[in-house]
Amino acid sequence: VWTWGNFDGGCAVMTGFVNPNRFPNEDWLISPAINLSSINNAVVNIRQAANFVSNDWTLLQVMVSSNYTSGNPNDATWTELTIPNRPAGNNWTFVDSGDISLAAFGGQANVRIAFRYRSTTTIASTWEVSKVEVKN
C-alpha cells in the first residue's frame, strides 16, 4: 500500500519489503484527471528517490493514460514515460526527472499519471515520490 512519508518535505512511499521478507506485489498510485484539452505541449517533472532497485527499473514505471476512469488500472491503456534523470537506485537521494513531454496527450481532458510499483521475492525496492508537476 502506498503510504505517506515525511522525506523531502513529504512524499508517497511504496515498498514490498517487510523485514526480513520481500513480497511479490503490484501497486498503482494514480493521479486525478488532468485536463490538457487546451494544452498541446505540456511536460511533467517528477521528483523521486529509490533504493534497493538492484538495477531493475522495469519494476518501477511512470505511466500515462487518457482512458483510465476508475477500478482496475490493467483495464486501461497505459504508455510508459521515459525518465531522463533517475535516482541512483541505491540510496535515498531525491532527483528531479527533468521535463518529460506529454505532447502525445495534448488536447485530451482525462490524462492520468500513474506510478506502477512491482516487487518480487528477490527485489523489493522502496520508491518515494515527492513531486509531480505538470506545466505548459
Side-chain angles (χ1 to χ4, degrees), residues 35-48:
N35 186 347
L36 298 180
S37 61
S38 63
I39 302 171
N40 291 320
N41 294 310
V43 295
V44 62
N45 188 294
I46 299 157
R47 186 166 171 80
Q48 60 182 325

Side-chain angles (χ1 to χ4, degrees), residues 49-114:
N51 204 347
F52 310 108
V53 174
S54 299
N55 291 318
D56 192 348
W57 286 99
T58 63
L59 298 174
L60 308 179
Q61 297 173 292
V62 181
M63 314 286 276
V64 63
S65 176
S66 61
N67 70 347
Y68 175 80
T69 53
S70 66
N72 186 348
N74 293 308
D75 292 339
T77 302
W78 295 92
T79 301
E80 184 173 5
L81 295 176
T82 300
I83 310 298
N85 301 314
R86 287 193 182 269
N90 61 359
N91 61 43
W92 302 112
T93 303
F94 280 83
V95 172
D96 285 312
S97 65
D99 290 342
I100 304 161
S101 176
L102 295 175
F105 296 88
Q108 299 182 50
N110 184 42
V111 177
R112 312 274 182 139
I113 296 170

Side-chain angles (χ1 to χ4, degrees), residues 16-36:
F17 180 76
V18 179
N19 197 12
N21 301 307
R22 292 170 184 82
F23 293 95
N25 194 32
E26 180 173 337
D27 281 281
W28 292 72
L29 178 63
I30 303 172
S31 76
I34 301 166
N35 186 347
L36 298 180

